Amino acid sequence: MTERIRIVEDIMGANDRLAAQNRADLDAAGVFGINLMASPGAGKTSLIEKTLARLVSDLRVAVVDGDIATSIDADRAAAAGATAVQINTGGDCHLDAVMLRQALDQLDLNQLDLLIVENVGNLICPASFALGTHFSVLIASVPEGDDKPYKYPAMYRGVQALVINKTDLQPYVEFDLDYFRAGVELLNPGLVTFPLSCRTGEGLESWLEWVRTQLKVLRQE
Ligand SMILES: Nc1nc2c(ncn2[C@@H]2O[C@H](COP(=O)(O)OP(=O)(O)OP(=O)(O)O)[C@@H](O)[C@H]2O)c(=O)[nH]1
Ligand SMILES: [Mg+2]
């Protein structure tokens, strides 16, 4: 038992060391990195598309897409104007720092402003693996249900911003926003939250402003 724990600690330690190296490389190039996590279908690629549509005219953006098998999402990101790198995890349910390292090696960081990583759709495993990005952002979506903070606490605890997507569906599904927010507040008090709809565009502006501001803050440090 003791031995098994030590091995797990070694693996996580190695991941964290490589994540620190990834972060150092992003910092050196002044690239703001976001690790976008969510359950399958919450709207990660949709938010990336909407973000690119508004930002690629003045920012140079790369998207690293983690998926179990296909390149569908990376193709969508490329079509929306990003430099896109696909990582197929071959079945793994999360990205790790080694995989991001391999993707960064394919990019010229000095030619970028923003890096968006789309993690594998999953509310459990991605929470355990640091990548080296500056912020982890979780997308919850209204049809998933208002109990998700209570059921997946590690994910909600470990992020620096929260998007609540598909607000256009609120009239049609049972989603108690107060109950949802109370769960978030217990786990991650004061978490910056952006309710929005990728479908209608409502609420997107505050999200885009936050991304722009974080990039400015990074470059002033
Ligand atoms: N009604 C509504 N549908 C949305 C919204 N955002 C995304 N969708 C739809 O939700 C579905 C999944 O969106 P994606 O952006 O592919 O979700 P994803 O999180 O990238 O999915 P995976 O990569 O497979 O985990 C698509 O049919 C989108 O059109 C929204 O704001 N409102
Ligand atoms: Mg996707």
Side-chain angles (χ1 to χ4, degrees):
M1 190 49 141
T2 310
E3 196 63 18
R4 191 174 73 87
I5 290 169
R6 178 141 47 86
I7 290 166
V8 172
E9 280 175 354
D10 285 350
I11 291 169
M12 297 314 280
N15 186 77
D16 286 349
R17 282 192 293 279
L18 200 50
Q21 183 59 53
N22 290 343
R23 168 74 69 88
D25 289 355
L26 293 175
D27 282 342
V31 179
F32 177 52
I34 298 174
N35 174 21
L36 209 49
M37 297 183 285
S39 56
K44 297 177 291 300
T45 313
S46 300
L47 184 65
I48 288 169
E49 288 173 325
K50 296 290 177 188
T51 303
L52 290 171
R54 292 294 302 278
L55 296 187
V56 287
S57 56
D58 51 321
L59 295 180
R60 300 163 299 177
V61 189
V63 173
V64 172
D65 248 295
D67 226 323
I68 287 178
T70 72
S71 67
I72 292 173
D73 288 354
D75 294 344
R76 285 171 65 185
T83 304
V85 179
Q86 180 71 51
I87 301 172
N88 284 138
T89 66
D92 279 0
C93 53
H94 61 271
L95 294 180
D96 61 25
V98 178
M99 297 178 201
L100 183 59
R101 179 76 256 159
Q102 289 166 352
L104 295 183
D105 287 344
Q106 296 178 48
L107 294 166
D108 182 354
L109 292 183
N110 291 313
Q111 298 302 318
L112 291 177
D113 301 303
L114 177 64
L115 174 82
I116 305 177
V117 181
E118 177 175 350
N119 217 311
V120 180
N122 181 337
L123 287 180
I124 304 167
C125 317
S128 301
F129 289 83
L131 303 181
T133 50
H134 295 91
F135 282 100
S136 291
V137 176
L138 172 62
I139 305 179
S141 67
V142 165
E144 284 169 53
D146 50 24
D147 57 357
K148 293 301 167 289
Y150 304 92
K151 296 181 74 174
Y152 301 94
M155 177 58 82
Y156 279 81
R157 238 185 242 120
V159 296
Q160 289 77 44
L162 171 67
V163 169
I164 305 174
N165 188 31
K166 308 194 189 184
T167 52
D168 57 295
L169 296 180
Q170 196 143 5
Y172 312 107
V173 293
E174 286 193 17
F175 185 87
D176 181 341
L177 188 58
D178 290 340
Y179 178 64
F180 176 85
R181 280 189 181 271
V184 175
E185 189 60 23
L186 277 175
L187 297 162
N188 199 329
L191 181 64
V192 58
T193 302
F194 303 98
L196 57 84
S197 165
C198 287
R199 173 67 50 84
T200 67
E202 194 179 358
L204 265 173
E205 208 49 54
S206 306
W207 158 253
L208 295 166
E209 196 47 46
W210 181 81
V211 173
R212 283 200 175 93
T213 303
Q214 298 313 316
L215 176 60
K216 272 189 209 134
V217 169
L218 174 73
R219 291 189 166 171
Q220 279 159 9
E221 279 172 356

